[in-house]
Amino acid sequence: MILQPIDIRALAAPTPQMPQSICFFFNAQIHHLLHAMPLALELSHDPRFRVDIVATGTDHIAFARELAARHGGGRLNFVQIHAPWLQLATRLSGGNTPPKLPALLAARRRLARYDAIVIPERTSLLLRRLGLADTCFIHTCHGAGDRAVGYDPRIALFDFVLLAGEKQRRRMLAQGLIREGHYAIAGYGKFDLTRDRHATSPFTDNRPIILYNPHFSSRLSSWQAMGMDVLRQFAADDRFNLIVAPHVRLFDNRRKRATAERMLAEFASLPHIHIDLGSRASVDMSYVHLAAAYLGDVSSQIYEFLATPRPCLFLNGQGVQWRHDPNYAHWHYGPVHESTDRLPDKVAAAMAAHGMYKPAQQKGLADTFAFDGQRAATRAARAVADYLTRQQPQAAPAYERYTLRKALHHG
């Protein structure tokens, strides 16, 4: 396929009477919607902008519509990208969402219409190489954890970046990923959509609920080495209810999920174990709100859990030397174990000893999220609107450093 360049100058530029067009493009799993939709909903009430929600997945569009209806969206247009060969690529990949690079090829002409594109991931920056060199790209991030991937070098290529708090600002400035005038600390927009959510327990009793939330990366996750033993130990213990809700990407592949469902069936049938391999409840903080304690490894979801400080503990399934590593800063918020021996007893001990860790949790929470009584989406919308309405915004760094090989490497 030969890609012809798209002449952005041939597209109509906004005038004082014509609102700027902004696209919120979702080119990853469904959990990304909760990180960018708060901004979309807020900007949809600003007459200076025309806001479109664009995705390649039917579930993404349905979820976006549901969020807009529930949280008072204004003028929004919902666009699903269709292409027969994209559907084929999705079937061949086995994923629940279309592969990112084919999705970009399918969407590029539609996306060339917009003055600005908001994305929670980084791979879609390849659109600059697909003819959208003059489009403004805005990054919302998707999570506010400690891992190095959250400080991806590609962030430096965005025109504007929204940050959750001081921790991200400090680390990104130190690494040269953001520059003055091209970022804002807005807070964590996902909280705006989930703060008042009343989750229904999947259990019929009131035993304390433990949330096990392993990460998807085989290099970092506790699942491969410890996951089944976690299930076996809680299956044999009657003190707790257990929710197993891995990162949505762990079983995003349909074949992997089918295999896992067969493997986990004996545990899923138990009344005190609930297994969720990727439903909306696994990403919308339903389980976070229900849990009395958190068991995990490196997922940024720990910070969502600690929005209300509670007991947590971590499984070091990789034998990591973590104590002085900033990528594991959250492991200072609870006990870290390298073995699952007598795990329910360890959970009970962590719950009893929570007072030892609560000050560190509160300090980490204040560093991670900006809380000032104002909705994060309101702050974000004001910052983005101010940036987009400037007369002569400074261009982003040269894009030549970003290659297809790097995109495939980072994912």
Side-chain angles (χ1 to χ4, degrees), residues 75 99 127 148 209 216 264 278 336 362 393 398:
R75 296 170 294 105
L127 288 165
I209 295 174
F216 67 89
L264 300 175
V336 178
Q362 292 172 324

Side-chain angles (χ1 to χ4, degrees), residues 1-300:
M1 177 186 297
I2 299 176
L3 296 175
Q4 300 298 324
I6 298 172
D7 185 0
I8 301 297
R9 293 169 297 182
L11 303 174
T15 69
Q17 293 76 37
M18 181 187 299
Q20 292 193 52
S21 58
I22 304 178
C23 165
F24 285 74
F25 181 50
F26 295 102
N27 190 25
Q29 289 75 18
I30 202 165
H31 63 298
H32 282 202
L33 273 80
L34 291 163
H35 296 284
M37 279 299 293
L39 174 60
L41 297 177
E42 196 76 15
L43 287 176
S44 71
H45 295 283
D46 190 327
R48 294 173 294 176
F49 305 102
R50 188 185 76 248
V51 180
D52 288 1
I53 308 300
V54 180
T56 55
T58 302
D59 289 345
H60 293 63
I61 296 298
F63 193 20
R65 287 184 181 275
E66 180 183 312
L67 291 171
R70 187 188 308 156
H71 298 280
R75 296 170 294 105
L76 284 168
N77 185 37
F78 299 88
V79 180
Q80 183 176 352
I81 301 297
H82 294 281
W85 53 268
L86 184 59
Q87 297 172 359
L88 176 61
T90 305
R91 287 197 298 272
L92 291 175
S93 71
N96 293 307
T97 55
K100 288 183 178 180
L101 297 182
L104 292 177
L105 294 174
R108 62 186 283 268
R109 289 199 173 274
R110 173 77 197 196
L111 298 177
R113 304 178 184 184
Y114 297 99
D115 301 303
I117 299 176
V118 181
I119 49 177
E121 37 82 36
R122 274 83 67 172
T123 302
S124 293
L125 278 169
L126 271 172
L127 288 165
R128 288 202 192 275
R129 285 193 171 274
L130 298 178
L132 281 68
D134 297 327
T135 303
C136 178
F137 282 84
I138 298 170
H139 189 38
T140 65
C141 301
H142 57 277
D146 300 315
R147 292 189 305 122
V149 71
Y151 304 91
D152 187 324
R154 293 176 292 180
I155 293 173
L157 301 173
F158 282 92
D159 297 284
F160 197 77
V161 181
L162 291 166
L163 308 176
E166 176 61 24
K167 177 180 71 179
Q168 286 183 327
R169 187 193 75 86
R170 186 175 60 250
R171 287 185 65 171
M172 289 191 191
L173 280 175
Q175 295 175 230
L177 303 182
I178 54 176
R179 60 205 190 282
E180 293 300 331
H182 292 263
Y183 72 88
I185 294 179
Y188 202 59
K190 184 175 180 178
F191 290 152
D192 294 344
L193 301 185
T194 58
R195 185 178 291 112
D196 299 323
R197 185 162 186 78
H198 300 289
T200 301
S201 173
F203 305 108
T204 58
D205 58 53
N206 60 357
R207 284 183 287 189
I209 295 174
I210 312 304
L211 172 60
Y212 178 40
N213 175 227
H215 197 258
F216 67 89
S217 170
S218 60
R219 298 181 298 104
L220 302 168
S221 177
S222 60
W223 177 256
Q224 288 77 9
M226 299 176 166
M228 293 301 293
D229 200 41
V230 169
L231 281 158
R232 282 190 286 267
Q233 295 218 26
F234 277 95
D237 192 276
D238 63 0
R239 287 171 287 179
F240 304 106
N241 290 318
L242 178 70
I243 294 176
V244 180
H247 190 291
V248 68
R249 289 185 61 184
L250 182 60
F251 296 109
D252 184 54
N253 182 281
R254 292 188 297 275
R255 288 185 288 272
K256 285 184 179 179
R257 178 175 296 195
T259 300
E261 287 173 346
R262 290 192 295 272
M263 180 176 66
L264 300 175
E266 63 175 297
F267 301 107
S269 64
L270 298 175
H272 66 296
I273 293 181
H274 177 74
I275 299 175
D276 186 334
L277 302 185
S279 79
R280 289 186 191 174
S282 73
V283 300
D284 68 3
M285 293 184 59
S286 291
Y287 300 143
V288 165
H289 291 317
L290 289 170
Y294 178 95
L295 176 65
D297 36 61
V298 299
S299 173
S300 64

